[in-house]
């Protein structure tokens, strides 16, 4: 594992949430994290994977249908 390790605060800022949300992800073990002594860090690539796996694409409209 190489790359940047992010703090909980940095993850919250990146997700646009409060720090409570990434802390909950960590406590529920829904995201990979690293313990550095008492500190918890989330690898940047794991955050990117988490975001991509939880991204929902829009449904494309069918062509040829009149007003909905």
């Amino acid at each position: 594992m190489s790359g940047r390790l992010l703090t909980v605060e940095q993850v919250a800022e990146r997700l646009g949430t409060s720090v409570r949300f990434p802390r909950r992800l960590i406590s529920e073990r829904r995201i990979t994290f690293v313990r550095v002594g008492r500190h918890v860090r989330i690898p940047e690539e794991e955050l990117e994977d988490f975001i991509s796996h939880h991204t929902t694409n829009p449904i494309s409209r069918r062509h040829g249908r009149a007003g909905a």
Side-chain angles (χ1 to χ4, degrees):
M1 176 187 319
S2 63
R4 193 167 164 221
L5 295 175
L6 304 174
T7 64
V8 172
E9 291 79 12
Q10 290 171 319
V11 171
E13 184 178 325
R14 196 99 164 255
L15 293 174
T17 65
S18 69
V19 294
R20 208 169 173 185
F21 181 67
R23 287 189 194 283
R24 192 172 83 219
L25 293 176
I26 291 165
S27 71
E28 295 173 357
R29 300 201 182 239
R30 293 172 48 201
I31 194 166
T32 302
F33 62 93
V34 177
R35 282 204 182 272
V36 182
R38 291 177 37 200
H39 305 282
V40 176
R41 300 291 184 260
I42 297 173
E44 191 170 30
E45 61 269 9
E46 293 296 331
L47 178 59
E48 296 300 326
D49 285 346
F50 178 84
I51 291 170
S52 68
H53 282 95
H54 290 85
T55 299
T56 303
N57 294 319
I59 298 172
S60 60
R61 294 184 130 208
R62 293 183 185 168
H63 296 285
R65 292 188 71 186

